[in-house]
């Protein structure tokens, strides 16, 4: 038996002794201290009867004794309930003060994820009188502005000037769920949009959001919420709004631990299943006395009931193995991952040419228009589509009920990618399986990659030889059809290209 490698020690001292979320138990809603009965009712309507461990831990550090005194960094497995972990305390605390202004901002890397998170807020915020907005570019910017900013009621004889004083404009929402690009658009150009009153900032899928600058959304948000930049706020009237007599006055803190920071401070919660430990990345967040909450001592952890399997085959036989595996899974909801949008398209087209595979199979990738993607996702959620062939656009955060299998058609390059792909199944304590198709020469690298996570057991999954053989002839004809389809697509594109001005 090979010796276990020593774990790497995080460079940041506060990351070295995390609050171990895995030691906590689920907690029945009746036993959650201070939980507003209206929220309890809303959670029950969602089919939730107890809080998951990560939700208990965050509740303790926010509404419980921790009292939001420190910024929270949460590293917890896929499907462990991180969304509600931050949504619940934020909604709870905002509901205790009835003022309508933008007080919480949740930023996510993609539109689909933002829509998903908004649904969670929509289930719990309205019952306590809070309003939730969305800034993702799904509708026109004018429609979005109409939803986010409340215009004064027009009175007879008074003409409202949309470019007039922002003092007349108010936020129509208490909580905003946004993607970085659209958020920056609103910051820069939406009259009356202000982060002046912001108290809570959530950066979900943190490592992904910190990987790219996305129009410098993070420094912009931090600047907008910092009292030291009054000059900046004053100079740009669109950024400086006065809500009648209501002002959130931030001043430079003199209390212990606040030297040089504004107070009341912007509380931050950052979360991921694969949270970065890179000091230079985390420093961008300007965290205040950060507290690290992590499930177990290992950096990466799989969901408890996830089983991983490998299928070893020759490269040219991969499609047949995949088809035989899909047949074997008997129509269970399944996501097949490839490593590029092109191979997603090709593989999906090929699979649909197997006439003896009675499954509804659809493509889901970044190459498609949002409306096409949304339609596919809806059909998949509702069970009208059983197999989704996807590029990595799907890997992060997406929560689709009933996905029991994930298949890596192509080996992921990084353990983080494996974790996010595999994490589309075995969510919320359910069981799930992740299969990876490998060539012989990839087995060693795959084993090494899995060793970076806590449970790296990955037995070989054996398909009955007869089942693989039975697809040989249909594979030959499917390949022919794929060739024709590719040729006709190429010539169609060429024609469109030559017509373009
Ligand atoms: N307390 C709970 N009881 C039952 N189900 C829950 C509870 N909390 C969350 N869930 C369900 O668990 C699923 C996973 O939750 P969520 O999407 O928040 O996970 P996550 O930790 O953010 O995962 P990922 O890292 O993949 O984004 C969702 O379907 C959600 O409705």
């Amino acid at each position: 038996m090979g010796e276990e490698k020593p774990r790497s020690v995080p460079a940041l001292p506060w990351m070295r002794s995390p609050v171990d979320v895995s030691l906590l138990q689920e907690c029945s809603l009746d036993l959650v201290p201070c939980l507003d009965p209206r929220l309890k009712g809303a959670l029950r309507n969602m089919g939730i009867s107890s809080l998951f461990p990560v939700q208990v831990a965050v509740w303790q550090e926010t509404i419980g004794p921790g009292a939001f005194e420190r910024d929270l960094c949460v590293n917890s497995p896929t499907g462990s309930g991180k969304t509600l972990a931050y949504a619940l305390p934020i909604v709870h605390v905002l509901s205790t003060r009835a003022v309508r202004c933008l007080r919480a901002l949740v930023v996510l890397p993609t539109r689909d994820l933002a829509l998903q998170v908004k649904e969670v807020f929509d289930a719990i915020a309205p019952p306590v009188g809070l309003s939730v907005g969305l800034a993702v570019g799904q509708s026109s910017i004018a429609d979005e502005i109409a939803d986010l900013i409340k215009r004064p009621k027009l009175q007879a004889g008074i003409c409202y000037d949309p470019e007039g004083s922002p003092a007349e404009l108010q936020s129509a929402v208490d909580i905003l769920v946004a993607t970085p690009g659209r958020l920056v658009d609103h910051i820069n150009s939406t009259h009356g949009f202000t982060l002046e009153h912001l108290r809570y900032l959530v950066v979900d899928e943190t490592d992904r959001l910190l990987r790219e600058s996305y129009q410098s959304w993070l420094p912009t948000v931090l600047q907008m919420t910092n009292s030291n930049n009054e000059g900046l706020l004053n100079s740009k009237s669109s950024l400086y709004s006065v809500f009648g007599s209501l002002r959130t006055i931030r001043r430079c803190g003199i209390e212990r631990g606040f030297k040089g920071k504004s107070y009341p401070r912007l509380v931050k919660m950052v979360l991921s299943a694969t949270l970065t430990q890179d000091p230079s990345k985390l420093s961008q967040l300007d965290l205040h006395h950060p507290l690290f909450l992590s499930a177990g001592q290992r950096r990466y952890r799989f969901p408890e009931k996830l089983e991983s399997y490998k299928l070893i085959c020759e490269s040219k036989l991969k499609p047949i193995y995949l088809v035989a595996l899909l047949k074997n899974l008997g129509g269970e909801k399944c996501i097949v991952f490839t490593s590029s949008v092109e191979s997603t398209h090709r593989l999906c087209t090929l699979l649909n040419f197997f006439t003896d595979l009675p499954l509804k199979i659809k493509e889901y990738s970044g190459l498609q228009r949002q409306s096409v993607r949304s339609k596919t996702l809806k059909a998949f959620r509702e069970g009208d589509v059983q197999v989704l062939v996807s590029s990595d656009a799907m890997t992060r955060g997406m929560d689709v009920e009933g996905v029991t299998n994930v298949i890596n058609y192509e080996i992921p390059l990084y353990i983080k990618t494996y974790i996010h792909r595999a994490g589309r199944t075995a969510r919320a304590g359910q069981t799930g399986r992740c299969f990876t198709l490998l060539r012989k020469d990839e087995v060693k690298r795959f084993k090494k990659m899995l060793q970076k996570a806590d449970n790296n057991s990955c037995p070989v999954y054996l398909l009955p030889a007869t089942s693989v053989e039975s697809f040989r002839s249909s594979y030959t004809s499917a390949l022919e059809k794929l060739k024709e389809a590719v040729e006709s697509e190429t010539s169609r594109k060429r024609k469109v290209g030559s017509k373009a001005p």
Side-chain angles (χ1 to χ4, degrees):
M1 271 212 345
E3 265 184 39
E4 206 180 289
K5 274 191 181 172
R7 282 167 206 151
S8 62
V9 179
L12 289 162
W14 57 267
M15 287 196 122
R16 288 182 201 150
S17 44
V19 171
D20 189 346
V21 174
S22 65
L23 299 177
L24 294 174
Q25 303 288 322
E26 274 192 40
C27 177
S28 155
L29 293 186
D30 291 325
L31 300 177
V32 177
C34 311
L35 183 62
D36 186 314
R38 294 169 297 171
L39 281 177
K40 207 185 284 182
L43 289 170
R44 291 229 156 92
N45 288 340
M46 293 166 78
I48 289 175
S49 55
S50 59
L51 292 191
F52 285 164
V54 68
Q55 296 159 354
V56 174
V58 174
W59 187 263
Q60 281 176 0
E61 299 305 331
T62 52
I63 308 305
F68 276 113
E69 275 173 14
R70 302 173 69 173
D71 286 344
L72 301 182
C73 290
V74 181
N75 186 55
S76 169
T78 50
S80 59
K82 294 186 285 298
T83 314
L84 203 57
Y86 61 76
L88 198 59
I90 287 179
V91 168
H92 178 94
V93 74
L94 294 187
S95 71
T96 58
R97 280 200 65 203
V99 282
R100 168 92 4 116
C101 53
L102 181 51
R103 291 176 287 162
L105 171 65
V106 182
V107 184
L108 292 121
T110 66
R111 198 185 291 183
D112 288 334
L113 275 186
L115 289 166
Q116 190 179 291
V117 165
K118 169 133 186 317
E119 261 180 39
V120 174
F121 275 101
D122 278 341
I124 59 173
V128 292
L130 297 173
S131 169
V132 190
L134 193 64
V136 295
Q138 192 187 25
S139 48
S140 72
I141 188 126
D143 285 348
E144 239 174 47
I145 293 171
D147 288 343
L148 298 182
I149 307 292
K150 211 183 328 177
R151 310 276 161 191
K153 284 217 172 80
L154 287 181
Q155 289 171 13
I158 301 178
C159 198
Y160 165 64
D161 170 14
E163 294 303 314
S165 157
E168 296 161 344
L169 307 175
Q170 287 187 20
S171 176
V173 299
D174 304 279
I175 300 159
L176 180 64
V177 182
T179 49
R182 223 358 127 77
L183 174 66
V184 172
D185 289 346
H186 285 296
I187 290 174
N188 287 337
S189 14
T190 298
H191 219 52
F193 184 85
T194 177
L195 299 180
E196 193 183 4
H197 307 281
L198 202 65
R199 293 294 313 276
Y200 303 95
L201 171 66
V202 177
V203 185
D204 201 344
E205 301 295 350
T206 312
D207 44 335
R208 164 90 187 266
L209 276 169
L210 294 183
R211 210 191 300 150
E212 291 167 48
S213 113
Y214 295 109
Q215 294 167 254
S216 303
W217 73 275
L218 183 56
T220 308
V221 167
L222 296 183
Q223 213 173 21
M224 293 292 104
T225 51
N226 193 336
S227 68
N228 296 340
N229 292 295
E230 288 223 4
L232 181 84
L233 291 170
N234 281 320
S235 67
K236 246 187 158 178
S237 65
S238 68
L239 303 173
Y240 181 70
S241 94
V242 180
F243 282 54
S245 59
L246 171 69
R247 297 276 309 269
T248 296
I249 300 171
R250 291 184 210 269
R251 56 196 161 79
C252 239
I254 43 164
E255 288 82 353
R256 193 171 154 265
F258 283 97
K259 199 158 178 267
K261 294 191 179 178
S262 52
Y263 183 86
R265 81 187 160 88
L266 177 67
V267 174
K268 293 168 205 130
M269 289 196 243
V270 303
L271 311 94
S272 176
T274 53
L275 192 72
T276 177
Q277 296 189 347
D278 181 342
S280 68
K281 292 224 171 83
L282 288 167
S283 72
Q284 298 170 40
L285 290 156
D286 189 24
L287 296 169
H288 173 80
H289 287 231
L291 182 68
F292 187 34
L293 286 78
S294 184
Q297 293 303 313
R298 279 270 182 170
R299 181 159 178 201
Y300 302 121
R301 206 181 155 109
F302 293 127
E304 227 163 85
K305 293 189 182 157
L306 175 80
E307 290 170 10
S308 293
Y309 296 97
K310 56 180 175 272
L311 284 92
I312 304 164
C313 62
E314 280 176 58
S315 197
K316 62 174 187 218
L317 293 182
K318 257 184 166 186
I320 305 187
Y321 270 75
L322 174 61
V323 170
L325 176 59
L326 288 173
K327 183 86 182 270
N328 210 269
L329 297 177
E332 290 178 356
K333 254 190 207 174
C334 180
I335 304 177
V336 180
F337 282 107
T338 67
S339 49
S340 72
V341 286
E342 292 78 18
S343 65
T344 295
H345 181 61
R346 226 176 308 124
L347 183 62
C348 186
T349 312
L350 178 72
L351 290 177
N352 276 302
F353 286 137
F354 277 86
T355 45
D356 42 359
L357 190 62
L359 296 172
K360 191 95 188 288
I361 303 170
K362 285 266 183 189
E363 171 183 352
Y364 183 90
S365 90
L367 260 194
Q368 299 168 304
R369 280 205 311 271
Q370 179 68 35
S371 58
V372 175
R373 279 221 302 265
S374 302
K375 210 170 139 201
T376 304
L377 196 56
K378 185 166 177 278
F380 188 54
R381 281 191 199 283
E382 289 170 359
D384 298 332
V385 167
Q386 293 93 44
V387 179
L388 218 57
V389 184
S390 176
S391 64
D392 284 327
M394 184 79 180
T395 50
R396 289 263 178 174
M398 289 305 296
D399 185 59
V400 177
E401 214 192 325
V403 175
T404 39
N405 303 288
V406 163
I407 302 174
N408 288 311
Y409 183 71
E410 276 146 6
I411 176 178
L413 283 181
Y414 307 104
I415 183 68
K416 280 189 177 191
T417 315
Y418 184 90
I419 284 174
H420 288 285
R421 286 182 180 183
R424 297 319 99 210
T425 186
R427 298 176 71 73
Q430 303 292 303
T431 54
R433 292 181 290 183
C434 179
F435 303 89
T436 305
L437 272 74
L438 297 168
R439 293 190 314 262
K440 253 195 194 141
D441 61 307
E442 290 172 327
V443 173
K444 216 166 148 191
R445 176 160 71 87
F446 182 64
K447 189 175 172 200
K448 232 173 138 184
M449 186 179 75
L450 285 196
Q451 277 170 351
K452 293 182 180 156
D454 62 334
N455 178 358
N456 54 45
S457 129
C458 184
V460 171
Y461 189 82
L462 286 175
L463 284 168
T466 48
S467 125
V468 175
E469 281 309 312
S470 68
F471 284 103
R472 275 199 189 259
S473 66
S474 48
Y475 177 44
T476 312
S477 80
L479 258 186
E480 285 292 316
K481 288 181 191 155
L482 177 69
K483 231 167 126 188
E484 285 165 28
V486 170
E487 275 164 18
S488 83
E489 258 181 42
T490 316
S491 77
R492 209 176 332 127
K493 274 185 198 152
R494 231 180 269 135
K495 271 185 206 156
V496 173
S498 66
K499 274 187 196 157

